[in-house]
Amino acid sequence: MEEILRVLLVASAFNSLTQRVHTELRRRGHTVGVELALGDDLLRARVARFRPELILAPMLTTAIPEDIWTEYTVLIVHPGPMGDRGPSSLDWAISTGAREWGVTVLQAVEEMDAGPIWASVPFPVASCGKSELYRNEVSDAAVAAVLLAVQRFADGDAEPEPLDYDRPDVRGRLRPYHTQENRRIDWSADDTETVLRKLRAADSQPGVLDELFGREYFVHGGHREDRLRGTPGAVIATRDGAICRATVDGAVWLPQLRRRRTPGGPKTFKQPAVDALRADLADDVPEVPVTPAEASVRDTWSELRYHEQGSVGYLEFAFAGGAMSTAQCRRLLAAYRQACARPIRALVLGPDRDFFSNGIHLNVIEAADDPAEESWRNINAMNDLVEAILTTTDILVISALAGNAAAGGVMLALAADEVWCRESVVLNPHYRLMGLYGSEYWTYSLPRRVGTAEAARLTREPLPVGAAAAGEIGLVDRVLPGGTQRFRDQVRRDAAALADSPELADRLTAKKRQREADESVKPLARYRAEELAQMRRNFFDEGEPYHGLRRNFVYNVAPPATPAYLLG
Ligand code: COA
């Protein structure tokens, strides 16, 4: 059995990978603390208090001070293959078209990324944006490498291998910072492939600095368009908040923009592209919609796709950052209703990869003239969607989580009859970090699944829950192994088997009865009214922390110290 260790995670933010490592190590019995890298002295004090046997940095953009790495073993997770060094590894992987990349766990030494190697795990580079790659393939490889390194360290009989560029398996090299100069798009010369590669390498951070209507913006995200064409560089269409820009041999969709900050001017944040451009966008740029069904057989950008296989419908939604604005909720609800009207027996909800949902759209709310009112509209639109799912009794609804979910996004998933999730998924079933009571009928669906005491614990302690733990407490019904492709294949097989099973009719009858029984005990409308009464206070009352917390989140303001809930 592996020795139990005291592990201190040091990270620039408690991001998805750090959360995943946190859940995986705790699950193996290790005592895990987290320290955000907010200054060397704060870190020294924490190390002295926590007395770790091992320090691990899953995502660190600064250096660990020498006095710490000389006294403790400090392992750094580097998102590059052996020998790769520098601050822009994934940007280079994508921009150079690498098919395979790696994650290496190396020991901290004087020179950045040059320490002895504890573990290295390869992964295939999917054709997607950098942060999507990071949350999926990179994260899976990183966790495998971390677990290997921790085990080697705990066993005490393995020595890390020095970095040796003469070895044939050391193929990486030191690469410079990937500047905006490397990223710049020449709309009059770059073909669609090149434009997409540049956009993907910069997504979601820092974006590609570009010019639109005489102003500078960072462009975030990028998808191919199969039909629309125009003068290279021209904005030729809009769709659901995104703009379509022509290239020399096609066109690309750009979903989000962030205005470049002017010197001394206010900080800026990402917005749906159409919102960011506002008055600059000419009236004659047409809105070119696509139906979810059409989108599933075309190579174009759409947040919604719908297709059927046998008696199962698949409604895929993919919202940038998992955030769902009022408009996005309403569009998804319309697509959900359409799907339910089809002659199907089961409906699978969820994107192919990446975030399932992270709840209401905090950036769109921040940009609104009246953020409290927009928060109210957004939560009501979420609730309408969740209510539609909860009251569907003639179809079996399955939430399939290939990626993470948080806050109202978790509760959205729980509205379905079954929740299946990939083993790598991390759930944050709480609203506390945003200072919200929460809605999305969580007071109905969460205790129904995990019991009242567990529901109270989950919403009180704002810690991430790994898929395996979520399965054990009944938060999710099934945990499926493997990468996103394997997950998708398994979901297809199992959903088809369920939909075609002779028991389905009985199950749907039982579901209808249960809903009626629940409704007679306490109507859904009452759950909603009670939750919204609390949310109204959160949104509209003086002195509530929500607006400040939201602003800090949207503007990415670092906390002054590591929050208490992470101290372990
Ligand atoms: N609204 C707007 N943007 C959101 C969002 C939301 N609800 N949730 C996530 N995002 C954005 C992030 O700002 C980030 O944008 P970036 O790529 O430009 O940096 C991106 O989605 C990915 O999120 P990030 O925080 O980097 O991912 P993570 O995996 O490290 O952390 C969460 C995920 C969900 C824990 C964290 O994003 C979070 O706390 N989100 C807010 C959840 C919430 O309170 N929702 C509202 C209540 S229902």
Side-chain angles (χ1 to χ4, degrees), residues 14-17 19 131 135 204-205 270 320-324 355 358-363 379 404-409 428 430-431 433-434 436 440 553 556:
F14 193 45
N15 76 332
S16 55
L17 178 58
Q19 295 189 13
S131 61
R135 286 188 292 263
S204 61
Q205 298 295 347
K270 266 185 216 167
M324 295 169 63
F355 286 128
N358 287 326
I360 57 176
H361 203 312
L362 300 168
N363 290 35
I379 199 68
N404 301 347
N428 276 284
H430 51 78
Y431 300 81
L433 299 178
M434 213 45 69
L436 294 172
E440 290 99 356
F553 176 82
N556 211 359

Side-chain angles (χ1 to χ4, degrees), residues 144-327:
V146 161
L147 294 178
L148 206 59
V150 169
Q151 187 172 3
R152 286 178 179 156
F153 176 81
D155 290 350
D157 54 7
E159 280 293 308
E161 294 182 0
L163 174 60
D164 174 3
Y165 281 103
D166 288 336
R167 276 173 50 160
D169 57 345
V170 176
R171 285 189 286 263
R173 60 184 168 87
L174 175 64
R175 288 175 192 268
Y177 178 67
H178 204 87
T179 61
Q180 284 296 340
E181 204 37 57
N182 303 117
R183 303 184 196 277
R184 205 175 62 80
I185 294 172
D186 181 348
W187 291 97
S188 65
D190 288 348
D191 61 10
T192 303
E193 245 347 283
T194 308
V195 171
L196 285 175
R197 219 174 25 246
K198 288 179 176 174
L199 290 167
R200 285 178 180 148
D203 186 39
S204 61
Q205 298 295 347
V208 172
L209 184 58
D210 198 4
E211 211 181 283
L212 277 148
F213 307 111
R215 296 183 211 269
E216 285 187 302
Y217 293 89
F218 291 95
V219 182
H220 299 272
H223 300 257
R224 186 191 310 280
E225 159 60 24
D226 53 1
R227 292 186 186 161
L228 300 169
R229 300 292 179 258
T231 312
V235 175
I236 53 174
T238 63
R239 174 181 300 155
D240 297 341
I243 55 170
C244 184
R245 213 166 168 189
T247 61
V248 289
D249 62 346
V252 293
W253 286 96
L254 310 175
Q256 299 193 98
L257 298 176
R258 178 168 69 84
R259 185 84 173 263
R260 186 181 197 181
R261 189 181 183 179
T262 49
K267 279 175 89 174
T268 56
F269 56 89
K270 266 185 216 167
Q271 288 182 261
V274 169
D275 293 357
L277 292 173
R278 281 198 221 113
D280 285 338
L281 199 59
D283 288 342
D284 58 356
V285 176
E287 172 80 7
V288 181
V290 63
T291 67
E294 215 189 311
S296 76
V297 291
R298 279 188 50 193
D299 192 5
T300 186
W301 179 79
S302 176
E303 291 175 320
L304 302 175
R305 290 176 197 276
Y306 178 77
H307 69 277
E308 289 171 10
Q309 253 176 3
S311 48
V312 184
Y314 294 86
L315 178 53
E316 294 172 8
F317 44 92
F319 300 113
M324 295 169 63
S325 66
T326 306

